[in-house]
Structure formats: C-alpha cells, structure tokens
C-alpha cells in the first residue's frame, strides 16, 4: 500500500508536469552539496547516482526561503507541526545535478506515514517534515529522473532524532 501511494504521488507529478529544480532563480549549482545549509544525515549511491540528504532546522529553512519571496509552494507546509525541512541532492557520477520528480514518505514512531512531494530549489529537492519526537523515523525516497532516459531511484533509511 505504501509503495502504491508513493507511485500515485509521483504519477500525479508527471501528469501535472511538476519539475521545479531547473526553474530560473531556483537552481543554484555553483556551490557544492557540502556547502548547503543544514546537517548532512545520509549519503547513498544508487544505480551510480549519489543522493545526499540534508536536514535543516526551521531557522535554516527560513533563511533559504527568503530568496524565494515567501511563496507557498509544493512541499512547504503552513502548519505549526513542522520541525524540519528535508532536502535531497541528486548527482550523476560526474557531479552534475540531476533534475527529476521526488517524493518523501516518513514513517514516525507511531507507525503513521506522511507522504509529500518535494519542491526543487537550490539544486536539490525539499519538503517540510515533522520529526518532533525523539525517536527513530523511517524515510523513503522515490525519484524519477527527467530526460529521455528516465530512471527510478528508491532509497530507504532510518534517522534517529536525539
């Protein structure tokens, strides 16, 4: 069921043509992933692509959003229960940024899933998440790269909030 929900969310993005990573003004590829805001929480290699995850606190998220003019956009919640902003950067072996459609599914310690599409910004993809409890969370990422040779990348890992 979880996989079906993830696939449906990604399919909806394709149907509506959602792809923000290469928008003018939102794709900053001059800095390295290590120079990006937030704490690096994972780096994985899948099918030759490098996925680097960074977790931002709300102040870092706010700084990043300043240059976006306060837009209310996909992956950004206007609710009080968000605690962090999760970003993933997708790179080819040559280091080039890869555009695509990305969804996160976060399973909390209560077993409940939260699935969200991301918004492309600053060469990566991000969404607001709630990691309020000091516990272990399971994070699943579904990625469909753009271009003529679309590739599906799936990643799953646990992250412990201390």
């Amino acid at each position: 069921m979880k996989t079906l929900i993830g696939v449906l969310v990604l399919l909806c993005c394709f149907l509506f043509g959602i792809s923000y990573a290469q928008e003018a003004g939102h794709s900053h590829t001059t800095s390295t992933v290590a120079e990006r805001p937030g704490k690096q929480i994972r780096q994985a290699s899948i099918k030759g692509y490098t996925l680097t995850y960074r977790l931002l606190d709300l102040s870092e998220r706010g700084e990043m959003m300043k240059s976006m003019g306060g837009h209310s956009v996909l992956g950004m919640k206007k609710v009080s229960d968000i605690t962090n902003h999760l970003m993933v950067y997708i790179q080819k072996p040559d280091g080039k940024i890869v555009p695509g459609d990305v969804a996160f599914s976060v399973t909390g310690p209560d077993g409940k899933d939260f699935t969200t599409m991301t918004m492309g910004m600053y060469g990566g993809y991000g969404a607001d998440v709630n990691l309020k409890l000091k516990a272990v969370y399971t994070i699943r990422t579904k990625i469909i790269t753009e271009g003529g040779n679309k590739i599906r990348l799936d990643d799953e890992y646990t992250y412990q909030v201390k």
Side-chain angles (χ1 to χ4, degrees), residues 30-84:
T30 56
S31 65
T32 66
V33 172
E35 296 170 336
R36 307 291 167 111
K39 171 186 170 188
Q40 182 172 318
I41 62 169
R42 176 174 172 79
Q43 189 166 57
S45 179
I46 299 174
K47 296 181 182 177
Y49 292 81
T50 300
L51 307 181
T52 304
Y53 294 88
R54 298 189 72 84
L55 190 63
L56 287 69
D57 63 28
L58 293 182
S59 64
E60 292 166 321
R61 174 194 180 267
E63 284 298 313
M64 190 168 53
M65 293 304 296
K66 281 182 182 177
S67 67
M68 297 181 71
H71 290 76
S72 175
V73 291
L74 190 66
M76 309 297 271
K77 306 295 177 207
K78 284 191 173 184
V79 293
S80 61
D81 66 345
I82 64 159
T83 60
N84 295 88

Side-chain angles (χ1 to χ4, degrees), residues 93-155:
D94 63 6
K96 290 185 181 176
I97 299 293
V98 177
D101 293 305
V102 180
F104 293 133
S105 178
V106 179
T107 303
D110 58 2
K112 292 184 181 178
D113 290 331
F114 169 75
T115 301
T116 182
M117 290 306 299
T118 63
M119 182 189 100
M121 61 181 129
Y122 303 103
Y125 297 86
D128 292 339
V129 294
N130 181 343
L131 306 176
K132 186 179 353 182
L133 300 175
K134 293 183 179 184
V136 175
Y137 293 81
T138 300
I139 301 171
R140 286 173 299 286
T141 306
K142 307 277 186 207
I143 300 167
I144 305 289
T145 63
E146 289 184 354
N149 191 17
K150 294 181 184 201
I151 296 173
R152 180 178 170 148
L153 306 171
D154 295 304
D155 191 21

